[in-house]
Amino acid sequence: MLGSLVLHHANPAAAAALGSLTSNNYLRLRALKINRHSGKKQAPPVTFGSQNSSLGYRRLVSPSTSSICATVGEDSFKSSAVFTDDSSAVTMTDEEMESIGILSIDQALEPYKEHFKYIIKRYVDQKGLIETYEGGLEEFAQGYVKFGFNREEDGIVYREWAPAAQEAQLIGDFNGWDGSKHKMEKNQYGVWSIKIPNYGGNSAIPHNSRVKFRFKHGNEVWVDRIPAWIKYATVDPARFAAPYDGVYWDPPPSERFQFKHPHPPKPKAPRIYEAHVGMSGSEPQISSYREFADDVLPRIRANNYNTVQLMAVMEHSYYASFGYHVTNFFAVSSRSGTPEDLKYLIDKAHCLGLRVLMDVVHSHASNNVTDGLNGFEVGQSSQESYFHTGDRGYHKLWDSRLFNYSNWEVLRFLLSNLRWWLEEFKFDGFRFDGVTSMLYHHHGINMAFTGDYHEYFSEATDVDAVVYLMLANYLIHKILPDATVIAEDVSGMPGLGRPVSEGGIGFDYRLAMAIPDKWIDYLKNKNDEEWSMKEISCSLTNRRYTEKCISYAESHDQAIVGDKTIAFFLMDREMYSGMSCLTDASPTIERGIALHKMIHFLTMALGGEGYLNFMGNEFGHPEWVDFPREGNGWSYEKCRRQWNLVDTDHLRYKFMNAFDRAMNLLDEKFSFLSSTQQIVSSTNEEDKVIVFERGDLVIVFNFHPENTYDGYKVGCDLPGKYRVALDSDACEFGGHGRVGHDVDHFTFPEGIPGVPETNFNNRPNSFKVLSPAHTCVVYYRVDESLEADVDETSIAEVVVGKENFEESGSVIDDGNVGPRAEKSGEGSSDD
């Protein structure tokens, strides 16, 4: 039963094709990524069935989303708060429990009302217990001021939760690794503690010295472990496969970094640059936080992104895991520097107006024993452990441990971890990794999400994990109201992106994870003539109304060794020989650069309410990512970014980079990503043309490999005069400059106002354009009331002009970019 809120397709074949989309094969890709680099036997493939876009369920459509999709009456979207969760005492009346806000947004969820009531009650009860016994969620989430190492006036107090330990000692450089004089005491809750008095007026444990927690467990065996709350961990680079050591980090005031710049304002829509600090340099070596801050952040700002998403920040002993096998949750990755170095990076980003998100991994933990949380597992029960026991505590594809989210101390540990990164390092939010694995007991393994709501709301739901995520999102937004929190979820659970106060899980955005798979499917399996405009459009627009998405055309996953970036799929080996501007571009290079621009911009303009790009993909970085491993001789050659390619003026990489810069600036100028106005008026299969409106812009994509259309009629909402705002065929973007930027496009009325069936493509007005093959052009409506006072041509200049391309010597003349196109090329659009 799909109910009334279903995506309708005019073309059954398009619907069937959309239904067959496999969304990211996410778990398999993660497992293969890990196993490729570890040399372990590869896990069996995971099958995800029908997953329409990143959502995979019946779509709740905005009334203004698309002409090819059913709309829902306005009354359906009236919502009411389910409870007030900022009060000191969290309680719910029977009336509030019956009035769950998310159900009034999507009435097809009504059959699962009892499910929502149960989860909400569990959340309220858990939050109430924390308030009763810990003084509130915010206080509870300051575990780092109690656990781990904390400096007091007369000494250092160290506490560790290890209920399975029978005896415990603190060892390190400070006592010659002899814990006999530093034995710890255990309280009734399994917390071990010791106070080490100052020595000679100074700390008995020197700053930046090594420490470990030594304990004896049930087998009468003593083991040494890195403290769970350690703030820094290092490894001896001169020793192959050396274990990590915990490091006591307490720099003197003169060495502590002091933040100078406040959090930048929250943007209307995030334009995210996903980056990995370690592989961000040009040289085949691990880059530092300070190098990234000084060398890469200015590039990101210059390309008009407003947010940086940092991968692999939390310490992970296995470099090739891309940071997803975390060993030390409160420690920054020491490969790239110290905690103070990371603070320098974040402050520098804030100085540039860039917000910084962190990839946080609370879905699982490294299986490592010697240097990770798993080292505290010595056969105890789940309630005395960070993880579930048995199969429930082990992710068989990721070879990692799974948290017990019902455990009080696990909640303290994870929630405190979030607050630590927000307050100590001034991050502006998080991207939660592996949310699908958290939401379900089956973790998405061998699960084909078909779109039936029962797949999301059943006994398969991990309620403990859902409650944790609700607590986490409430806490984050309580501490930092303007935080941005993104969920990496491939299943598309309804409510994931709605506020906790409505009964949702509370994320601000979810990643639209099926979009990159759609593009890769097309590039691998279809020639240009087989591309379906309707299928592409539906894949990009198929998301739940009122639940925002971050769209992306390709991610770091698709650059891993054995796979290809979009640019490499399009141009392959010709990227080695055909990227010089000193020779004519081959048809493959022409097509590749043109489609690279179109794919990324269409994804941005139609695929979500935010946009993400992985480091280097903005200029078509060639080849792949391959971390050092035995199979490649421990080489860093493919674990870097070749910035020289985009910096070399005679190479064509600069064209893709320039277009990326311009499309971000287009959103800066027109705020189309944050607009709820998104109407697809035409998906013409014969012409291979998509026409849509996003915000106040009219956007035309011509995917035909050969046909250029002169005088092509496009529909629009408002009458008036339109001009070019962005043109992928501009010479500055490696195009041919066929579209005139000084041409005025006047609209014509179509049919009877207010009667869509008499209009042109259901739009009350139209104008005509020149649409070259493999080109996208954006048009904006001129405000003629201001035209006498404002030079309207400066809008095009701002978007594709002076600031962006002065390095390449472009000349701006009367609002035109590069050589002036012949006005006659615009057909009859201004006749």
Side-chain angles (χ1 to χ4, degrees), residues 220 248 349 392 446 477 533 543 734 738 740 773:
E220 299 295 314
Y248 174 65
R392 190 177 179 191
N446 295 323
H477 290 99
M533 302 299 100
R543 57 189 184 271
R738 290 167 289 186

Tab-separated table of all heavy atoms in Angstrom, residues 220 248 349 392 446 477 533 543 734 738 740 773:
chain	number	residue	atom	x	y	z
A	220	GLU	N	43.344	-13.183	35.252
A	220	GLU	CA	44.555	-12.841	36.005
A	220	GLU	C	45.660	-12.318	35.081
A	220	GLU	O	46.848	-12.414	35.385
A	220	GLU	CB	45.074	-14.062	36.792
A	220	GLU	CG	44.102	-14.597	37.815
A	220	GLU	CD	43.840	-13.616	38.935
A	220	GLU	OE1	44.821	-13.051	39.450
A	220	GLU	OE2	42.654	-13.406	39.279
A	248	TYR	N	49.510	12.509	27.395
A	248	TYR	CA	48.900	13.511	28.269
A	248	TYR	C	49.120	14.879	27.638
A	248	TYR	O	50.251	15.338	27.493
A	248	TYR	CB	49.528	13.453	29.660
A	248	TYR	CG	49.044	14.545	30.584
A	248	TYR	CD1	47.713	14.592	31.000
A	248	TYR	CD2	49.920	15.529	31.042
A	248	TYR	CE1	47.260	15.599	31.837
A	248	TYR	CE2	49.475	16.540	31.884
A	248	TYR	CZ	48.151	16.565	32.273
A	248	TYR	OH	47.698	17.574	33.112
A	349	ALA	N	39.833	28.961	9.062
A	349	ALA	CA	38.615	28.813	8.259
A	349	ALA	C	37.578	29.854	8.666
A	349	ALA	O	36.947	30.494	7.812
A	349	ALA	CB	38.048	27.401	8.421
A	392	ARG	N	25.619	-9.203	17.904
A	392	ARG	CA	25.037	-7.867	17.890
A	392	ARG	C	26.109	-6.791	18.067
A	392	ARG	O	25.900	-5.642	17.691
A	392	ARG	CB	23.972	-7.738	18.991
A	392	ARG	CG	23.160	-6.461	18.867
A	392	ARG	CD	22.065	-6.333	19.893
A	392	ARG	NE	21.358	-5.083	19.732
A	392	ARG	CZ	20.486	-4.593	20.591
A	392	ARG	NH1	20.178	-5.288	21.689
A	392	ARG	NH2	19.904	-3.430	20.377
A	446	ASN	N	22.267	-6.933	3.331
A	446	ASN	CA	21.361	-7.788	2.555
A	446	ASN	C	19.920	-7.319	2.647
A	446	ASN	O	18.994	-8.131	2.574
A	446	ASN	CB	21.466	-9.250	3.017
A	446	ASN	CG	22.831	-9.838	2.737
A	446	ASN	OD1	23.442	-9.538	1.716
A	446	ASN	ND2	23.326	-10.659	3.652
A	477	HIS	N	22.159	21.121	18.989
A	477	HIS	CA	21.474	22.380	18.702
A	477	HIS	C	21.235	23.210	19.960
A	477	HIS	O	21.026	24.426	19.872
A	477	HIS	CB	20.161	22.102	17.967
A	477	HIS	CG	20.354	21.599	16.567
A	477	HIS	ND1	20.274	20.270	16.226
A	477	HIS	CD2	20.675	22.252	15.428
A	477	HIS	CE1	20.503	20.127	14.934
A	477	HIS	NE2	20.753	21.317	14.421
A	533	MET	N	15.964	11.928	-19.850
A	533	MET	CA	15.790	13.188	-19.135
A	533	MET	C	14.818	13.037	-17.968
A	533	MET	O	15.014	13.611	-16.898
A	533	MET	CB	15.289	14.272	-20.091
A	533	MET	CG	16.210	14.527	-21.287
A	533	MET	SD	17.883	15.088	-20.859
A	533	MET	CE	18.832	13.561	-20.996
A	543	ARG	N	12.866	13.370	-3.345
A	543	ARG	CA	13.204	13.511	-1.934
A	543	ARG	C	11.987	14.018	-1.177
A	543	ARG	O	11.087	14.623	-1.750
A	543	ARG	CB	14.385	14.456	-1.741
A	543	ARG	CG	14.195	15.854	-2.320
A	543	ARG	CD	15.501	16.636	-2.258
A	543	ARG	NE	15.374	18.015	-2.718
A	543	ARG	CZ	15.534	18.387	-3.976
A	543	ARG	NH1	15.789	17.483	-4.903
A	543	ARG	NH2	15.426	19.663	-4.306
A	734	GLY	N	35.921	26.929	-20.997
A	734	GLY	CA	36.353	25.979	-22.007
A	734	GLY	C	35.338	25.743	-23.093
A	734	GLY	O	35.474	24.795	-23.882
A	738	ARG	N	29.046	30.529	-27.658
A	738	ARG	CA	27.976	30.647	-28.659
A	738	ARG	C	26.758	31.408	-28.146
A	738	ARG	O	25.942	31.886	-28.943
A	738	ARG	CB	27.553	29.240	-29.108
A	738	ARG	CG	28.592	28.526	-29.948
A	738	ARG	CD	28.280	27.058	-30.111
A	738	ARG	NE	28.483	26.309	-28.866
A	738	ARG	CZ	28.393	24.993	-28.764
A	738	ARG	NH1	28.096	24.264	-29.846
A	738	ARG	NH2	28.607	24.388	-27.616
A	740	GLY	N	24.978	34.550	-26.490
A	740	GLY	CA	25.213	35.963	-26.230
A	740	GLY	C	24.757	36.362	-24.837
A	740	GLY	O	23.631	36.058	-24.437
A	773	ALA	N	24.424	22.197	-28.019
A	773	ALA	CA	24.586	20.828	-27.544
A	773	ALA	C	25.543	20.798	-26.354
A	773	ALA	O	26.498	21.562	-26.272
A	773	ALA	CB	25.117	19.947	-28.672
